[in-house]
Each structure stands twice: as C-alpha cells, then as structure tokens.
Amino acid sequence: MEKQEAWTIARLLEWTRDYFAKKGIEKPRLDAEVLLAHALGTERIHLYTGFDRTLDDRTLAEFRAMVKRRAERCPVAYITGRKEFMSLTFEVTPDVLIPRPETEMLVEKAIEAARGMEAPVVADVGAGSGAIAVAVAVNLPKARVFAADASDAALKIAERNAERNSVKGRIKFVKGNMLEPLHAEGLAGKIDVLLSNPPYVAESEWEGLAEDVRLFEPRAALVSEGDALKHYRVLALGAAEMLAAGGHVMVEVGAGRAEAVAGIFREAGLQDVKSEKDYAKIDRVVIGRWKV
C-alpha cells in the first residue's frame, strides 16, 4: 500500500477489499468500509459521498495499522472498539464476547414475554458486554433489570454500555457465578424473565472455531469445560426457585443443541417448553415457563 498516487477513499476501499479477499476474510468489502469509516471518524454511508476524498498521512497510517490487525484475524469490533446490537452501539474489548445478530432473537422473545407486565423483573446471567440487559432496559422502560457476571472487567464494560445507552440507573449490576448473585439480591421467586447466553461450546469443538473467535475472544465465555450442557442444567434447576409464577427462562443454544436443552428444561419441571429459530433458521433460543 505504498503511496505512489493519491490514496482516495475509492482506491483504498478497492485495494483493501482485494487484500482481505486474498487473506480469506469472509466479508472483505464490509470490513474495509467499517475500518475506513472508523479511521475517518465518520459513518459508512458518508464514504459513498466522498469517494474522491484523500487521506492525510496520519489517518492513512492509522488505517494501515487497522488493516494489518484485521488481516491477522483480529475481529473488526475489537479493532474499532464497538459493535451494533439491536440498533444500539456497544463498547467491546477482548474481555467480553462480541454481541452477535442471533442473540437478538433472545432479546426479542424476552421483550415479547414481558411487554404486557406492569413492572417486570428481568435478569441476565452472564451479562458480558451488557448487550442483552441494556437492550431489554431500552425496550422495556418499566422493567427492573439485573445483570450478573463473574468478571469484574466485563461488569465495568457493561456499566459503561448502560451509561452510553442512557439506562445505567435502571440496571443493577451484580458480581457472581450463575444464579448466586441474583439469589443474594433476594430475587428468589421474583424474576419474571430469566435470560442467559451461557458458554456452550464443547471443549472438543474449540479447535474447530474460526481463528477470529478462537484467537481473540475470551475462552471462558465460550467454552463449557467438561459438560457442554452444565450451565443449562443449573439454569433449569434454579428456575424453580428464582422464577415468579408463570415466569420464563430463555437461553441461547448452540446449533444442534436445542433438543437436548429442551429435554433438560422438561426434566426440571418447566412447562410450555419450545425452541425458536434465528434468522438463519437455526433453533437458537429455548424457552420454558414455570408453572402458574
């Protein structure tokens, strides 16, 4: 990418797209646009109205550094430090998983279940970046939302994301493993919607994950050591104690695991157990309801 002629936006996008394609990047044009817009401090749409604009040396150097990191498989969201989710913007760092489109289905089902309630209590177990809890709070202004995570670093990021999206005062962040901090908050028998996107990658599946994920995202938030379904067992058994009458437990599951998780839910006494497909037509969310 030597500066032989003026590096216009159009020329940079073309060069970077081709470079990423040769490196096997899945979405070369999109990644090029996102990184260049970030380097310029603008939105992607504005690139199309300024194709002839040239970059100064400093901005060009910053962009080149970002392109190098992406070519090394660092996820775009970690390079830019942000990710869109449910039409909201979230800060992300390697301390938390990058929010994914399929998780939006989990949030949408939670909103659907709680929308008719006067003041629903919603709890997110394994909050990470706070994407789920924040999106719920934004869409359910009367809800009391709790976000639990065992990681101090994750909780700090989640709190910043709540502040960024103007709902910090409506979410209580609690530290601890799985349901323990919610129990300590006195929420037994009071939760209307219990949510979780727990670690569900089996240890045997780790090496087969894309390098973007395996080399950069936090393993502890992805891999369920030993039993790949153990977190679902904890949530299912805990639902009887934590849910209010008629309350829902909703979880994201890995591809091909919905049937097994649904079975765990039924064995724990949950009713109306069902699975919901994501936008790729994969059974992604399993829902159970505690008896009325």
Side-chain angles (χ1 to χ4, degrees):
M1 206 197 301
E2 294 184 8
K3 193 173 180 182
Q4 299 172 346
E5 60 181 88
W7 281 103
T8 62
I9 286 177
R11 185 176 173 223
L12 278 168
L13 288 177
E14 181 180 2
W15 188 95
T16 307
R17 178 202 62 202
D18 293 345
Y19 178 66
F20 282 166
K22 291 175 183 176
K23 290 290 184 177
I25 301 298
E26 184 178 359
K27 298 177 180 178
R29 175 72 183 199
L30 175 61
D31 288 1
E33 290 181 2
V34 171
L35 293 177
L36 185 53
H38 183 69
L40 291 168
T42 189
E43 299 298 323
R44 277 177 58 212
I45 189 66
H46 295 149
L47 298 178
Y48 290 90
T49 59
F51 275 154
D52 294 330
R53 176 181 171 185
T54 59
L55 275 66
D56 59 59
D57 290 343
R58 179 177 177 179
T59 304
L60 184 60
E62 291 175 357
F63 178 64
R64 290 178 66 183
M66 288 190 284
V67 168
K68 182 176 184 295
R69 290 182 66 193
R70 182 67 187 115
E72 294 168 348
R73 290 301 190 277
C74 182
V76 170
Y78 288 154
I79 298 172
T80 64
R82 65 181 187 179
K83 179 68 176 179
E84 300 296 314
F85 179 82
M86 294 287 292
S87 299
L88 304 169
T89 301
F90 290 86
E91 173 192 345
V92 291
T93 77
D95 287 315
V96 297
L97 289 182
I98 298 168
R100 288 164 166 78
E102 53 264 34
T103 305
E104 293 187 1
M105 179 61 67
L106 178 64
V107 177
E108 288 170 2
K109 291 302 173 182
I111 294 169
E112 183 181 307
R115 182 161 279 148
M117 301 179 187
E118 180 62 29
V121 176
V122 182
D124 176 24
V125 176
S129 68
I132 293 172
V134 170
V136 166
V138 168
N139 286 278
L140 294 172
K142 295 182 180 179
R144 293 175 58 208
V145 182
F146 294 81
D149 203 288
S151 165
D152 282 320
L155 285 173
K156 288 178 181 177
I157 293 169
E159 287 188 33
R160 290 200 295 270
N161 281 323
E163 185 171 10
R164 172 195 289 264
N165 289 287
S166 304
V167 291
K168 186 175 181 180
R170 296 185 33 242
I171 302 176
K172 185 162 187 180
F173 297 91
V174 290
K175 183 186 177 185
N177 187 47
M178 294 299 289
L179 298 172
E180 293 173 2
L182 300 179
H183 194 280
E185 287 293 316
L187 293 176
K190 298 178 181 178
I191 297 175
D192 295 300
V193 183
L194 179 64
L195 299 169
S196 186
N197 177 18
Y200 56 67
V201 175
E203 290 179 276
S204 60
E205 298 171 330
W206 175 249
E207 290 300 325
L209 294 181
E211 288 184 325
D212 308 48
V213 176
R214 181 167 45 83
L215 299 180
F216 295 93
E217 298 201 58
R219 178 186 167 105
L222 288 162
V223 176
S224 181
E225 306 289 350
D227 178 6
L229 299 176
K230 65 183 179 183
H231 296 94
Y232 300 110
R233 301 183 201 283
V234 172
L235 290 163
L237 292 173
E241 180 182 11
M242 302 306 296
L243 290 178
H248 294 80
V249 56
M250 304 181 177
V251 296
E252 181 175 323
V253 300
R257 297 250 167 81
E259 186 175 346
V261 174
I264 290 171
F265 277 23
R266 293 189 183 98
E267 289 174 10
L270 291 164
Q271 302 175 351
D272 303 325
V273 176
K274 61 181 180 179
S275 61
E276 298 283 352
K277 296 184 185 298
D278 62 18
Y279 305 118
K281 306 302 181 183
I282 295 171
D283 285 318
R284 185 64 66 183
V285 176
V286 176
I287 302 171
R289 191 174 191 187
W290 187 238
K291 52 194 175 185
V292 178

